[in-house]
Each structure stands twice: as C-alpha cells, then as structure tokens.
C-alpha cells in the first residue's frame, strides 16, 4: 500500500475489479434451508461485518453469519478452510497472493491515531507519529502536550491494522521495544481511556466518545478527508474466499457490494461502489 491516497484507491479498484471476475459464482439460486456462513479475521473489519450480518439476516432469516474477530493473519490463513469468508484489513503479501484466494475489497477505512480524552494534543505529523512509535519522541511535552512519558500502544504482530499503520507511517519492523501490544481494537480503546499518557491507533469506524482521535498533518480523521486524500493513513477492508464458494456465501458477498450493502459501509467508512 502507498501513502498517497490516489495510489491507494487505484490499488483498491484494481483488486476489486479483478475480484469480481475471480471465480466467485454469479447469482445462483440459494436454498431456503438454514445455512451458517463462517467468517473470521480482522478485528477492524468485524464491526462492519456485524452490521452486514444483522441486516442480511433480516432479509434472509435462514442465513446465519457467524463472525470471529481473530486478526487479519488468521483470516488470510484460514479463508476457504475454517472460514467461508476471511477478513483482512491489509493487502496480501506476494506469498499470500500465491495461495489462489479470491480477494474482494468491500470498503476503505482510515486508521485513527487516538489519545486519552484529557490529552491536550490534538494534531500530530506523520514524522512525529513515526518518532513516537520508534522511540525518538518519548514525552508529550515534545509535541506540544502538558508533559508525561508517552505510553505507546500498538497492535500485535500479524494484525492487519498494525501492518498498514507501520507501512503508512514509515516504520515497518521498527516498533519501540517495550511497546504495549494489544490483541484487539477494544483492548486498545480501554488502555487509552484508562491512561492519560497513552497513544494508540484503531479503525476510524471504531472511534467513539471514550477516546480522542487526533488530526494527522492538520487533517482531521474523517471520511471526507480520507476520500479527498487529505488524511493520509488509509487502507482497504478485504474479504477472502477459497475456490469452492457456496451459493449462499456468494450471494452474501454480492449483497455486500450492492447499493444496500454499500449504504451500510457509508455510515462510518468509504464505499467502493
């Protein structure tokens, strides 16, 4: 993924275009018998998938979508195996692309840099974020704050959000030794809300009143700014399937990309259709 949003969007559209011709069955008759679609992977994609599942079940009461927020690595590794649909909040590596998975971009998401609500810092540059996460900046007074040693919170190794964030901020593989590595969006939010000196990052769609999202390079973390390219930290939400896709699963994926599904995306994220 590239930092310039125009390049991000070109990549996303290319993936989406290839995916629609990638072997997923066209609209096919779907049985009225009860069926469960197993979904697993990115905890960042999980809130959106839960919205999809709730609405789709209203339209198709016989279809249950069982969602497991286990991280992008698990979603990629077990797509078409444990899960009919895997979820990833990062692009696939060349090795992962060679596994023959069908990748479909369902939304675009910003990554919000978050701090405690009582932290007076409201804006950070990409360079300051990189220095905080690699240990070059260690105290809030160095970035206009009231002072206090910065408690760095990151996602765990293998997290799609972590991979995208490190790449976009320019510090892949150089995370500060001793940083707190949390295994979920919820854990990061809890840590930030309880520690006035903490900093972390989560999906823009998961921001709520329990924490504060700061501007990056003077651009507020908003859907409009991600769309325009003013807010630079953005990545695709991807779903993955194997080659043997059930008609019920295919119908659900097609619905996600329909106007009804993309209307749900637009509540907190950026639609791709």
């Amino acid at each position: 993924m590239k930092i310039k949003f125009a390049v991000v969007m070109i990549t996303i559209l290319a993936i989406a275009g290839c995916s629609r011709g990638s072997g997923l069955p066209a609209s096919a008759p779907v049985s009225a018998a009860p069926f469960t679609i197993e979904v697993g992977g990115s905890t960042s994609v999980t809130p959106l998938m839960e919205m999809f599942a709730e609405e789709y079940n209203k339209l198709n009461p016989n279809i249950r979508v069982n969602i497991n927020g286990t991280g992008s690595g698990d979603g990629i590794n077990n797509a078409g195996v444990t899960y009919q649909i895997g979820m990833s909040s990062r692009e696939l590596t060349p090795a992962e692309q060679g596994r023959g998975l069908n990748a479909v971009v369902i939304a675009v998401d910003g990554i919000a840099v978050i701090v405690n609500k009582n932290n007076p810092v409201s804006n950070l540059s990409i360079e300051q974020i990189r220095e905080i996460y690699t240990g070059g900046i260690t105290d809030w007074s160095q970035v206009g704050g009231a002072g206090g040693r910065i408690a760095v919170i990151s996602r765990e190794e293998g997290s799609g959000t972590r991979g995208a964030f490190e790449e976009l901020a320019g510090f892949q593989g150089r995370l500060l030794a001793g940083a707190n590595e949390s295994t979920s969006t919820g854990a990061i939010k809890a840590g930030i809300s309880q520690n006035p000196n903490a900093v972390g990052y989560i999906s823009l769609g998961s921001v709520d009143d329990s924490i504060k999202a700061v501007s990056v390079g003077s651009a507020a973390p908003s859907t409009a700014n991600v769309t325009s390219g003013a807010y630079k930290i953005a990545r695709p939400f991807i779903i993955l399937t194997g080659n043997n896709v059930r008609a019920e699963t295919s119908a659900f994926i097609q619905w996600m990309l329909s106007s009804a599904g993309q209307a749900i995306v637009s509540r907190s994220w950026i639609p791709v259709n």
Side-chain angles (χ1 to χ4, degrees), residues 61-241:
N62 60 309
I63 303 295
R64 179 182 175 221
V65 182
N66 188 37
I67 304 166
N68 303 275
T70 53
S72 292
D74 181 61
I76 294 167
N77 290 332
N78 287 299
V81 185
T82 305
Y83 311 124
Q84 280 109 42
I85 297 174
M87 302 180 290
S88 175
S89 54
R90 64 168 173 81
E91 294 181 13
L92 275 62
T93 65
E96 291 166 344
Q97 291 171 4
R99 296 179 186 174
L101 296 172
N102 299 305
V104 178
V105 177
I106 56 172
V108 179
D109 179 48
I111 300 176
V113 178
I114 60 172
V115 297
N116 187 276
K117 290 195 298 183
N118 296 319
N119 190 325
V121 172
S122 59
N123 179 68
L124 292 168
S125 68
I126 290 284
E127 292 75 17
Q128 287 172 327
I129 293 167
R130 181 166 58 246
E131 287 297 300
I132 287 170
Y133 272 84
T134 56
I137 293 175
T138 59
D139 195 280
W140 284 112
S141 62
Q142 294 175 264
V143 289
R149 187 168 183 81
I150 300 172
V152 175
I153 302 178
S154 181
R155 282 297 301 271
E156 78 284 6
E157 187 70 39
S159 159
T161 307
R162 173 171 168 171
F165 184 74
E166 289 191 359
E167 181 176 351
L168 291 166
F171 67 96
Q172 301 99 311
R174 295 189 290 125
L175 177 66
L176 171 70
N180 184 325
E181 298 185 42
S182 295
T183 57
S184 70
T185 297
I188 288 185
K189 289 164 65 174
I192 297 289
S193 66
Q194 295 166 14
N195 187 340
N197 290 320
V199 63
Y201 54 88
I202 60 174
S203 164
L204 179 57
S206 296
V207 171
D208 59 27
D209 292 339
S210 68
I211 41 81
K212 181 174 80 173
V214 303
S215 296
V216 175
S218 298
S222 67
T223 297
N225 282 340
V226 172
T227 302
S228 70
Y231 189 84
K232 303 297 184 183
I233 307 179
R235 41 70 186 276
F237 277 179
I238 301 172
I239 57 173
L240 305 147
T241 62

